[in-house]
Amino acid sequence: GDELSTDTPDRWFTDDEWALRLYRNFGSTQVALYGYSGFWKSPGGMRLLPPQGVFPKLRVYGASVRGAMGRGIASAEAGYYDSYEDRKGGNVFVNNSEFRLLMGYERELAKELTGGVQYYLEHMVRHGAYRRSLWFFMPERDENRHVVTVRLTKLLLNQNLVLSLFTYYSPSDNDGYLRPNISYKINDHWAVDAGGNIFLGAWNTSFFGQFEDNTNVYTGMRWSF
């Protein structure tokens, strides 16, 4: 189909973006606070005439913590996405505000084998107002979107051969994304790799399902000097 045009914020001294991050280490644990004022990074709104994707204004407030736990590394991050052009949630053409949560844990599972798991949550604020504002032909977003990520990495042949698998699965969207990869360092200058991007989904309107036709495999060779 035709590509939708977008109205990208680019006016000097009007469409500014500001970001601030404060962090401190407490032993082996790092704690951070951050804030952002700007715009949604992907088109979070729509203009009907002319049909055009827009980037509504956005403020983000969040905190994160990362440190050792048991034999691995644990992390957690939480943020509030303040979509202040639609705080009441009744404008179907502007993203609602969201709470987001990311929790993860990674550790060595065996010799030269590491694994990690993450849980991600997007919670839409004022979902009821959003649902009531939907037009009949618009697909409805869930109030909560869950995504579980698993990553496995295996090193072989004196760490010259790397096998990795990155998987995403969303039980709420019933879709997923697989990223297998194999890379081999031939010598100090040459390396080869191969992999794929595999998208799965029950519906073509879900986050990963919409890319199902973009499933691909690739191979490459790199020369370093």
Side-chain angles (χ1 to χ4, degrees):
D2 296 334
E3 183 178 348
L4 180 68
S5 66
T6 58
D7 181 11
T8 304
D10 58 3
R11 294 170 296 178
W12 284 82
F13 307 115
T14 302
D15 296 333
D16 303 69
E17 295 180 280
W18 298 89
L20 174 67
R21 181 174 182 265
L22 304 173
Y23 66 92
R24 181 175 178 179
N25 293 328
F26 297 90
S28 61
T29 301
Q30 184 181 87
V31 177
L33 301 174
Y34 59 84
Y36 167 79
S37 179
F39 304 87
W40 288 89
K41 289 303 183 180
S42 58
M46 177 68 66
R47 181 182 297 129
L48 287 181
L49 295 173
Q52 198 171 44
V54 297
F55 298 79
K57 293 180 180 180
L58 174 70
R59 295 189 182 116
V60 181
Y61 314 94
S64 65
V65 59
R66 179 181 175 86
M69 187 175 76
R71 297 174 59 187
I73 301 295
S75 60
E77 182 174 349
Y80 178 64
Y81 283 59
D82 179 14
S83 187
Y84 60 96
E85 290 190 33
D86 184 28
R87 283 185 171 143
K88 294 183 178 180
N91 185 349
V92 70
F93 298 111
V94 176
N95 278 2
N96 280 34
S97 298
E98 296 177 355
F99 283 105
R100 296 189 182 185
L101 173 68
L102 178 65
M103 302 175 65
Y105 185 70
E106 56 184 310
R107 57 163 290 183
E108 186 176 40
L109 303 176
K111 184 178 180 180
E112 306 288 18
L113 174 64
T114 59
V117 61
Q118 287 186 330
Y119 167 72
Y120 174 68
L121 169 68
E122 288 181 2
H123 171 74
M124 181 189 292
V125 177
R126 300 190 181 277
H127 186 263
Y130 156 78
R131 188 172 59 246
R132 290 189 295 271
S133 70
L134 280 177
W135 294 9
F136 71 92
F137 58 85
M138 292 180 170
E140 180 182 337
R141 288 180 55 193
D142 292 332
E143 183 176 12
N144 296 298
R145 176 173 177 259
H146 309 270
V147 180
V148 178
T149 303
V150 176
R151 179 177 59 190
L152 297 171
T153 304
K154 176 66 175 176
L155 305 179
L156 299 163
L157 304 179
N158 295 321
Q159 301 186 352
N160 289 318
L161 178 64
V162 181
L163 309 177
S164 67
L165 176 64
F166 219 152
T167 65
Y168 300 79
Y169 172 64
S170 172
S172 52
D173 288 348
N174 195 19
D175 64 0
Y177 173 33
L178 308 178
R179 288 178 50 193
N181 177 266
I182 178 172
S183 62
Y184 179 63
K185 182 180 178 182
I186 300 173
N187 53 42
D188 290 340
H189 299 289
W190 290 98
V192 294
D193 71 328
N197 294 282
I198 304 167
F199 297 94
L200 307 168
W203 305 282
N204 60 9
T205 55
S206 66
F207 187 83
F208 295 122
Q210 64 182 316
F211 300 113
E212 196 165 11
D213 291 339
N214 297 107
T215 293
N216 62 82
V217 295
Y218 63 87
T219 184
M221 177 177 288
R222 296 194 307 274
W223 178 62
S224 303
F225 60 92

